[in-house]
Amino acid sequence: MTDARLPGAFSEFEPYASTWCLATEAERYKQRLASTMDEMQTFYDAFFPRGEEAIAYCEKFPLDELPEDAEQLLYLIYSLVMVSFPVEAWRQPNVPDSGAAYLDLLIEPRP
Amino acid sequence: MKPIAKPAEGSWTAHYPEISREPMSYEDSINPEVYELEREAIFKRSWLNVGRVEQLPRNGSYFTKEIAIANTSVVIVRDLEGEVRAFYNICRHRGNKLVWTDFPKEEVGGNARAFTCKYHGWKYNLDGACTFVQQEEEFFDFDKADYSLVSVHCEVWAGFIFVNLADEPSQSLIDFLGPMVTALEGYPFDQQTERFFYRATVGSNWKIFMDAFQEFYHAPVLHAKQSPVASLPEVQAAGFEALHYEIDGPHRMVTTTGGQGWRMPTEYLKPTETLTRSGLFGPWDAPDLGVDPLPGVNPGKAKNWGLDSFQIFPNFVILIWERGWYLTYHYWPTAYNKHVFEGNLYFVPPKNARERVAQEMAAVTFKEFALQDGNTLEATQIMLESRVVTAFPLNDQEILCRHLHKVTADWIADYQRETAGVSK
């Protein structure tokens, strides 16, 4: 596969890469609100069991010198965090009782 | 759960006799006339935190701060000698905003050796001196030395940059902050430079949101659906009691326990909390801050210290977590029923991806909770404005809300007394 984004050991998650390997919180939050619970549940069920392994893989590298594929994997981990409240707590994409409220993250660490 | 010891007077509120225990009015949050008074009596006279020194990493670094309630914009800069200065963000020629990019109302930042006005090209050094006037010879009886930028009183404490818009502040910053807050001097804020910065416009008076984050009585109820442990009947029934409250001048603080996720059975936790070893209360594995004991925190010497929330008058909060991170809140009024909320989360820079993921979990969780808090405010504002009910009973866990509104009223009364004296 020439267009692989993730490290080879995590190639089974390539189908989620184009949706969830997103560099900013704003993109991940937007993707969450644009997703159905089924879509997020499927991603979560697939990736969560190997979450610890993925963290351990990224942890091997200095954070400011992550290889590109490890950086993509880290973004996928951030997305797992992003969908965790909908999947684990609320069964809905948006925060209960949050209505039209918003809170934009304007400055965040990279990666 | 055994009850938490209260002061000898029987309640926190009674311990501070200047604070009423009567039902409270929220007229100060729904009345445009009070907002106008707050503008003059508070925001144009008080020390206001506008950021931290890390936002000015180099000589020549600057950022602008819009202070809508004072109808002004301020530019804060580290000059070429390294001194932090503040100026009103206005060109002395014909009043154009000096430092801005595409949108006049948007805050900007960057690095500069001088400020140049977009309009007619007047230039100012970072110490404020006017150094260049286009076609200077065309002006009348003119000396550009008379046209420096208008400086704003600016002082730095513990890396926090404050400005004061008064011609002559009635107190130095240190005197204003007082012993309870300045006891934090030496707390390693400067080590916690990994920053998440959030902003939202909120449809409520600024004090309504301050009230929401200065009592935790709401927490077991409003946030009941956020975690398995929060929805347990015994947790719901127990409610909330703070470990310690303290008031010092116009400022106030509360200490509470934290959630000790690392000690909880996993069935009480969300799986992602267990995976990331993190949650609302921050990463479970605290960094070594290298300072022991931490100065100024946990002033009540409470066991099971989890966090301190220092509410610094008028609109600034520093919340320090036992797990070695902190956050700040700012509430910038823009109308009597609207304000801009800003939240900053600060962590020690992560050493590796695992620590970074734990910080991401804390940041994401912060936002999930804050959104619930934020949305409730508009609902409160709307109904307060109905004035159907005008007196509200606040309990002992809401003492800090009472204090904020009392201090607001006191500052307005002081201002009115002073201005009445002047006009006689």
Side-chain angles (χ1 to χ4, degrees):
Chain A
M1 257 189 353
T2 52
D3 56 350
R5 294 173 66 164
L6 299 168
F10 297 91
S11 61
E12 63 173 305
F13 305 119
E14 289 292 345
Y16 303 104
S18 60
T19 313
W20 291 109
C21 289
L22 302 168
T24 66
E25 187 269 356
E27 294 169 284
R28 294 188 291 273
Y29 202 84
K30 192 175 160 201
Q31 183 59 45
R32 173 171 120 185
L33 294 184
S35 300
T36 66
M37 280 315 300
D38 279 351
E39 287 164 344
M40 286 191 280
Q41 187 76 50
T42 305
F43 164 57
Y44 178 94
D45 288 345
F47 190 40
F48 188 90
R50 294 191 65 192
E52 168 54 34
E53 212 183 318
I55 294 171
Y57 182 88
C58 295
E59 190 183 6
K60 292 187 299 190
F61 305 98
L63 195 52
D64 52 0
E65 292 169 35
L66 279 182
E68 194 156 332
D69 57 356
E71 187 174 308
Q72 296 294 315
L73 183 63
L74 185 59
Y75 293 149
L76 203 63
I77 299 167
Y78 294 167
S79 282
L80 185 66
V81 169
M82 178 55 74
V83 304
S84 68
F85 270 84
V87 169
E88 296 173 356
W90 318 315
R91 313 300 311 155
Q92 64 181 52
N94 60 325
V95 184
D97 303 320
S98 69
Y102 70 93
L103 187 60
D104 291 332
L105 180 55
L106 303 179
I107 296 174
E108 66 190 308
R110 293 288 187 93
Chain B
M1 213 163 93
K2 63 174 185 293
I4 287 158
K6 291 197 179 192
E9 294 85 349
S11 73
W12 296 101
T13 314
H15 182 62
Y16 292 99
E18 69 275 21
I19 297 177
S20 158
R21 281 164 278 168
E22 296 296 310
M24 202 177 96
S25 164
Y26 269 90
E27 184 66 21
D28 69 359
S29 302
I30 57 176
N31 187 330
E33 286 172 25
V34 177
Y35 180 78
E36 290 302 319
L37 286 165
E38 289 176 346
R39 185 196 303 280
E40 302 299 329
I42 297 172
F43 286 89
K44 289 188 180 178
R45 291 163 35 120
S46 180
W47 287 98
L48 304 172
N49 176 255
V50 290
R52 278 199 56 82
V53 289
E54 290 83 13
Q55 291 167 250
L56 302 172
R58 289 177 297 280
N59 291 352
S61 296
Y62 68 88
F63 63 87
T64 65
K65 185 74 214 164
E66 300 302 299
I67 306 177
I69 189 169
N71 297 320
T72 199
S73 169
V74 174
V75 54
I76 297 98
V77 61
R78 188 185 291 277
D79 72 18
L80 297 179
E81 272 70 56
E83 187 180 338
V84 177
R85 297 173 178 270
F87 303 100
Y88 287 101
N89 191 4
I90 179 173
C91 178
R92 291 294 308 271
H93 172 222
R94 267 171 52 203
N96 188 29
K97 192 171 199 171
L98 181 64
V99 183
W100 56 286
T101 319
D102 297 320
F103 301 96
K105 287 184 174 176
E106 272 184 15
E107 294 176 355
V108 296
N111 206 268
R113 298 191 62 81
F115 296 126
T116 306
C117 183
K118 295 173 193 293
Y119 202 175
H120 302 95
W122 285 36
K123 263 197 177 75
Y124 302 88
N125 270 352
L126 303 186
D127 63 5
C130 181
T131 57
F132 174 77
V133 171
Q134 176 80 8
Q135 291 164 268
E136 192 173 341
E137 66 282 3
E138 295 275 349
F139 288 85
F140 308 99
D141 300 325
F142 182 84
D143 181 352
K144 60 180 177 295
D146 297 334
Y147 292 90
S148 297
L149 294 177
V150 182
S151 63
V152 174
H153 294 276
C154 178
E155 291 184 25
V156 177
W157 167 79
F160 292 100
I161 304 168
F162 290 77
V163 298
N164 191 311
L165 301 174
D167 292 339
E168 279 308 323
S170 60
Q171 289 176 293
S172 70
L173 174 63
I174 295 298
D175 289 345
F176 169 74
L177 291 175
M180 182 182 78
V181 174
T182 55
L184 291 167
E185 179 92 49
Y187 177 87
F189 296 111
D190 56 346
Q191 288 185 34
Q192 300 170 57
T193 54
E194 190 86 339
R195 178 185 181 210
F196 294 74
F197 169 47
Y198 298 86
R199 181 189 279 156
T201 300
V202 178
S204 84
N205 184 271
W206 61 285
K207 298 186 295 299
I208 301 287
F209 202 167
M210 291 205 74
D211 284 356
F213 276 176
Q214 62 187 336
E215 56 88 358
F216 298 101
Y217 171 57
H218 75 274
V221 181
L222 183 63
H223 305 307
K225 293 177 198 154
Q226 299 284 52
S227 76
V229 69
S231 54
L232 292 173
E234 57 269 35
V235 172
Q236 292 281 297
F240 171 82
E241 279 188 80
L243 298 173
H244 181 72
Y245 292 100
E246 197 163 317
I247 285 167
D248 180 20
H251 317 299
R252 64 208 90 89
M253 69 86 60
V254 52
T255 298
T256 82
T257 53
Q260 301 187 331
W262 60 97
R263 287 189 180 148
M264 278 194 222
T266 49
E267 64 266 30
Y268 288 178
L269 295 162
K270 289 192 292 301
T272 303
E273 290 178 305
T274 306
L275 171 68
T276 59
R277 297 184 58 78
S278 182
L280 182 65
F281 304 98
W284 298 353
D285 303 301
D288 178 11
L289 295 173
V291 180
D292 188 28
L294 292 167
V297 302
N298 191 14
K301 305 277 183 283
K303 283 182 188 169
N304 303 320
W305 173 58
L307 70 89
D308 292 330
S309 177
F310 288 88
Q311 308 271 326
I312 299 169
F313 191 74
N315 67 333
F316 176 43
V317 173
I318 303 174
L319 195 155
I320 298 174
W321 300 85
E322 182 268 339
R323 292 284 93 183
W325 62 295
Y326 79 99
L327 51 79
T328 63
Y329 301 139
H330 294 85
Y331 309 82
W332 296 105
T334 52
Y336 80 95
N337 59 358
K338 204 160 106 178
H339 71 279
V340 171
F341 167 78
E342 294 176 343
N344 283 287
L345 281 58
Y346 293 98
F347 300 94
V348 171
K351 290 196 293 289
N352 52 45
R354 185 176 299 277
E355 291 183 2
R356 175 65 181 81
V357 169
Q359 294 175 359
E360 183 73 16
M361 179 65 182
V364 165
T365 307
F366 162 78
K367 176 164 164 172
E368 314 286 23
F369 278 76
L371 279 169
Q372 273 187 336
D373 288 306
N375 203 44
T376 306
L377 307 171
E378 196 168 328
T380 304
Q381 182 75 32
I382 290 166
M383 290 318 295
L384 287 176
E385 287 187 30
S386 77
R387 291 186 172 83
V388 169
V389 178
T390 54
F392 300 89
L394 271 65
N395 71 46
D396 203 27
Q397 303 297 330
E398 297 169 302
I399 174 177
L400 300 190
C401 308
R402 288 185 185 271
H403 180 252
L404 168 63
H405 293 265
K406 178 195 182 301
V407 174
T408 299
D410 289 349
W411 276 55
I412 289 173
D414 283 351
Y415 168 77
Q416 288 177 317
R417 248 191 318 274
E418 286 171 32
T419 47
V422 167
S423 63
K424 264 176 209 162

